[in-house]
Amino acid sequence: MCRWFGPGGRSARPGRPIRPYYRARVDKAVSRWTAAASAPPEPKKAKPAVECEIPLHVYRGVGGSYVAEVALAQGWELRPTDVRKEVRLWWAAASPVDGIHPA
């Protein structure tokens, strides 16, 4: 039995192996960016990044849709991107809130 396949040597999705390694990489990358973006700004330091790019080599085994699923659950919004190269995200909580356009 191949280590990428689930119980019984079969994939959860026919024809595609389960890649827990890549899921863990995506989870780790998005959580790092979330921690950095949600951290309060330090005095006399640059503001936290509000945009990030998750490169293809991180999500190769699970696809860009898994990156979007994880990122949306953590409060990110999708930016226009080419998923053959990367997935770009924007931290939604960084947008200014005013009386005209409440969040």
Side-chain angles (χ1 to χ4, degrees), residues 30-66:
V30 174
S31 64
R32 273 195 213 157
W33 279 106
T34 302
S38 62
E42 296 182 27
K44 297 188 179 184
K45 298 272 185 168
K47 293 182 180 179
V50 295
E51 287 195 39
C52 76
E53 298 172 353
I54 309 293
L56 173 65
H57 70 87
V58 173
Y59 65 88
R60 179 183 301 122
V62 292
S65 62
Y66 183 73

Side-chain angles (χ1 to χ4, degrees), residues 23-33:
R23 286 188 181 196
R25 286 181 66 159
V26 168
D27 294 339
K28 185 176 181 179
V30 174
S31 64
R32 273 195 213 157
W33 279 106

Side-chain angles (χ1 to χ4, degrees), residues 69-90:
E69 178 184 326
V70 171
L72 291 172
Q74 294 189 24
W76 291 90
E77 292 181 3
L78 296 174
R79 302 291 288 168
T81 184
D82 181 8
V83 290
R84 294 174 293 176
K85 297 178 183 177
E86 65 194 10
V87 174
R88 296 180 63 211
L89 305 169
W90 181 69

Side-chain angles (χ1 to χ4, degrees), residues 1-43:
M1 179 173 108
C2 179
R3 66 183 173 147
W4 297 116
F5 290 102
R10 294 190 191 138
S11 171
R13 296 186 314 200
R16 302 200 66 187
I18 299 170
R19 306 264 184 186
Y21 171 74
Y22 285 109
R23 286 188 181 196
R25 286 181 66 159
V26 168
D27 294 339
K28 185 176 181 179
V30 174
S31 64
R32 273 195 213 157
W33 279 106
T34 302
S38 62
E42 296 182 27

